[in-house]
Amino acid sequence: MSTTDETRTARPAGRPRSAKAEKAIIEATLDLIGESVSLSELTIEAVAARAGVGKTTIYRRWSNKEDLVVDALATLKAPPPPLVAPTVRENLVVYLEMLERESGDVRSRCVMNIAMNEADRHPHLVARIRQAAIRPRQEALAALLRRGVESGELRADLDVPVAMAMVVGTMMWYVKSAGFGEGGEHSEDVVGRVLDHLMAGLAPR
Amino acid sequence: MSTTDETRTARPAGRPRSAKAEKAIIEATLDLIGESVSLSELTIEAVAARAGVGKTTIYRRWSNKEDLVVDALATLKAPPPPLVAPTVRENLVVYLEMLERESGDVRSRCVMNIAMNEADRHPHLVARIRQAAIRPRQEALAALLRRGVESGELRADLDVPVAMAMVVGTMMWYVKSAGFGEGGEHSEDVVGRVLDHLMAGLAPR
């Protein structure tokens, strides 16, 4: 494996080869994380082996594992979609659809799992992932909810942190528990049914 | 390490020593899981080393890793509390308080993390954990919600799987995101504020 790098770089210098290696390295990192390889288990050696490159190819681009993991996870969590529809309800549909899409994606789920579960073992790395991948969308959601309070579409005494947990937690839990086969059948128009229950609540109106 | 077992069992036979070893083994297993050691990384060797017992002491009680893990995790997830208060609202308080308590406990969270994230790698083990630790409380919550629909305390068109995701997902997400420092301050009476928003919804009444 230690000669692979030299072998593979016996080619005309230039971007295409480099970009291809970079993509393979990012993909290998995400694959390993997606297979529940923990951050401690994830080594540059393992990434190199999976990507079919030498360790020096990785170290030429990333000076350490942390930088590589942050870059890899950032490719999964796109910036939040623009929440520019006229009503809060329509924007919540956009946000819930994003959550539904991502919750169904095993690699995307890993960003959240790492952010939530590895903080004790890797506080600095987890702080960077949260800053890069999670905070922007949390801030977009908080701003949307506050706009809704101002416009009167949401209740005047809205507790924004609780409302954020309702929006994100409900959708993530729903998608996950569907895999459990618990709580009855999970049929179509998930976003519509979730939104309706979030807005109107569980009590009769 | 292989002689430890023999050394330690040089004592009069009897239950006390045995029960103590059993407790140490369960605790060691939970400690390792609580430190985000994945099921693949978790070995009988590692548990034996942490518990200060020999591997044979473990194998005398559990024939394999799966049995040990299921037993260890079952000690974390007590049966759901009896939901026998007169109103659905009061029973939901009991349920939310249990979720709040458990979400704040790192070892308890691990049961959920394993159930949700290790299914691909360890389907049989995860199925057993779900059956032993998760299904009973999910069924208790579903029954409570259905009673609420019948009594008129909950809306007649309640979507039970969505409502379950709202109850569980909101509380779990809220407790977790409090650790992120996101979404503003997280102050007292979490259960009361969550319950109020779950019942009344986000829209103005």
Side-chain angles (χ1 to χ4, degrees):
Chain A
M1 194 50 58
S2 60
T3 61
T4 313
D5 203 42
E6 285 62 47
T7 315
R8 293 196 170 229
T9 52
R11 40 122 208 125
R15 277 288 108 189
R17 164 71 185 80
S18 177
K20 199 177 151 208
E22 196 161 309
K23 190 166 186 307
I25 293 161
I26 293 281
E27 286 294 312
T29 306
L30 295 174
D31 274 353
L32 291 168
I33 292 173
E35 291 164 15
S36 301
V37 171
S38 69
L39 290 181
S40 301
E41 292 172 286
L42 186 80
T43 61
I44 293 289
E45 284 78 5
V47 173
R50 176 70 65 102
V53 303
K55 281 165 56 177
T56 53
T57 302
I58 298 179
Y59 281 120
R60 219 175 286 142
R61 290 164 181 78
W62 292 277
S63 56
N64 55 55
K65 180 172 87 173
E66 283 213 354
D67 291 346
L68 171 58
V69 169
V70 169
D71 276 4
L73 294 182
T75 68
L76 290 183
K77 287 277 181 187
L83 302 174
V84 292
T87 66
V88 167
R89 181 177 272 271
E90 288 165 282
N91 286 311
L92 281 175
V93 167
V94 171
Y95 203 89
L96 288 169
E97 283 172 346
M98 173 193 73
L99 290 174
E100 185 192 20
R101 207 164 44 241
E102 291 187 347
S103 301
D105 175 49
V106 67
R107 299 206 305 191
S108 213
R109 273 211 306 269
C110 288
V111 179
M112 289 315 309
N113 291 336
I114 287 175
M116 294 195 287
N117 305 325
E118 298 256 23
D120 290 340
R121 293 216 282 189
H122 305 278
H124 182 64
L125 176 52
V126 166
R128 288 181 61 194
I129 293 169
R130 286 178 183 168
Q131 185 68 36
I134 298 174
R135 184 145 311 161
R137 56 182 59 197
Q138 292 282 80
E139 283 171 357
L141 177 59
L144 173 66
L145 294 172
R146 282 191 293 263
R147 282 208 306 279
V149 174
E150 279 161 33
S151 72
E153 251 196 286
L154 301 182
R155 54 196 272 188
D157 65 343
L158 189 77
D159 185 311
V160 173
V162 167
M164 291 171 71
M166 274 173 74
V167 172
V168 181
T170 301
M171 184 53 91
M172 289 186 57
W173 188 261
Y174 188 87
V175 173
K176 283 182 179 192
S177 64
F180 292 9
E182 277 157 0
E185 89 274 17
H186 291 71
S187 48
E188 72 251 36
D189 192 23
V190 172
V191 166
R193 286 181 295 129
V194 166
L195 180 65
D196 171 65
H197 281 61
L198 290 175
M199 292 295 276
L202 306 180
R205 285 248 155 191
Chain B
M1 192 50 62
S2 61
T3 61
T4 312
D5 202 46
E6 284 63 45
T7 315
R8 294 195 170 231
T9 51
R11 39 124 209 124
R15 276 288 107 190
R17 164 70 184 81
S18 177
K20 200 178 151 208
E22 195 161 311
K23 189 166 186 306
I25 293 162
I26 293 283
E27 284 296 310
T29 306
L30 294 174
D31 275 353
L32 290 168
I33 293 173
E35 290 164 16
S36 300
V37 172
S38 67
L39 291 181
S40 300
E41 291 173 286
L42 187 81
T43 60
I44 293 289
E45 284 78 2
V47 173
R50 177 69 67 104
V53 303
K55 281 164 58 179
T56 52
T57 301
I58 298 179
Y59 282 119
R60 217 174 288 142
R61 290 163 182 79
W62 293 275
S63 56
N64 55 54
K65 182 171 84 172
E66 283 212 355
D67 291 346
L68 171 58
V69 169
V70 169
D71 276 5
L73 293 181
T75 68
L76 290 183
K77 289 277 181 186
L83 301 174
V84 291
T87 66
V88 168
R89 180 177 274 271
E90 288 165 284
N91 286 311
L92 281 174
V93 167
V94 172
Y95 203 88
L96 288 169
E97 283 172 347
M98 172 194 73
L99 291 174
E100 184 192 21
R101 208 165 42 241
E102 291 186 347
S103 301
D105 174 47
V106 67
R107 300 206 305 192
S108 213
R109 275 209 305 270
C110 290
V111 179
M112 289 315 309
N113 291 335
I114 287 176
M116 295 196 286
N117 304 324
E118 299 254 23
D120 291 339
R121 294 215 283 188
H122 306 279
H124 181 63
L125 177 52
V126 166
R128 288 180 61 193
I129 293 169
R130 286 177 182 167
Q131 184 68 36
I134 299 175
R135 184 146 309 162
R137 55 183 59 197
Q138 292 282 80
E139 283 171 359
L141 178 58
L144 173 66
L145 294 173
R146 282 191 292 265
R147 282 208 306 278
V149 174
E150 278 160 34
S151 72
E153 251 196 286
L154 301 182
R155 55 196 273 187
D157 65 344
L158 189 77
D159 185 311
V160 172
V162 167
M164 291 171 72
M166 274 174 75
V167 172
V168 181
T170 300
M171 184 54 92
M172 289 186 56
W173 188 260
Y174 188 88
V175 173
K176 283 183 179 191
S177 64
F180 292 9
E182 277 156 1
E185 88 274 16
H186 293 70
S187 47
E188 71 252 35
D189 192 22
V190 172
V191 166
R193 287 181 294 130
V194 166
L195 180 65
D196 172 64
H197 281 61
L198 289 176
M199 292 294 275
L202 306 180
R205 286 247 154 191

